[in-house]
Amino acid sequence: QVQLVESGGGLVQAGGSLRLSCAASARTFSEYIMAWFRQAPGKEREFVSAITGRGGTTNYGNTVKGRFTTSRDNAKRMYLQMNSLKPEDTAVYYCAARAYYYNNYERPELYQYWGQGTQVTVSS
């Protein structure tokens, strides 16, 4: 079956950096819109970033603009470079993908496929 697998999470001090990766099991994911969401304990799932299948357009949540960068490479993997990390960035980070266009990138219910998440913990 189609799978998304996140990697790269871990423990980092405030001000540090991490790079998350998302690998897809199907070639068709190279044309899908892909996104990162995060969820902290007791909070709703929050939009982090999205990137179009060809990588021409990116979108970011307000809380990460200027600090996080998402990209796709020739191996059809999606990345999230996280810089200047803050304790409030602590969450499980999820990779998501969808095959169809919608006029909104931030609603999790619009994504068809999800990974199981990777934990990011930022200490103060």
Side-chain angles (χ1 to χ4, degrees):
Q1 68 180 45
V2 174
Q3 290 184 305
L4 298 174
V5 180
E6 305 94 338
S7 62
L11 175 65
V12 65
Q13 293 183 344
S17 298
L18 283 174
R19 190 190 193 202
L20 305 184
S21 298
C22 176
S25 64
R27 291 180 180 178
T28 51
F29 275 90
S30 66
E31 300 179 355
Y32 288 11
I33 295 171
M34 300 187 71
W36 292 98
F37 289 80
R38 66 187 184 186
Q39 189 165 24
K43 297 185 178 180
E44 65 182 4
R45 192 158 295 192
E46 177 188 19
F47 173 75
V48 175
S49 67
I51 187 166
T52 59
R54 295 172 179 169
T57 301
T58 56
N59 292 270
Y60 298 93
N62 291 333
T63 58
V64 305
K65 288 180 180 177
R67 299 188 297 121
F68 292 8
T69 303
T70 192
S71 60
R72 306 177 75 139
D73 67 11
N74 292 334
K76 312 305 179 184
R77 295 173 181 171
M78 182 179 66
Y79 302 93
L80 184 68
Q81 178 66 47
M82 304 185 293
N83 298 324
S84 301
L85 283 162
K86 304 174 181 179
E88 50 263 45
D89 295 318
T90 296
V92 177
Y93 283 70
Y94 297 92
C95 176
R98 69 191 193 197
Y100 305 108
Y101 173 80
Y102 300 97
N103 63 1
N104 186 283
Y105 292 108
E106 302 181 10
R107 296 169 58 191
E109 63 268 26
L110 298 180
Y111 291 83
Q112 299 170 283
Y113 307 104
W114 292 85
Q116 294 188 335
T118 185
Q119 177 71 46
V120 172
T121 302
V122 184
S123 63
S124 61

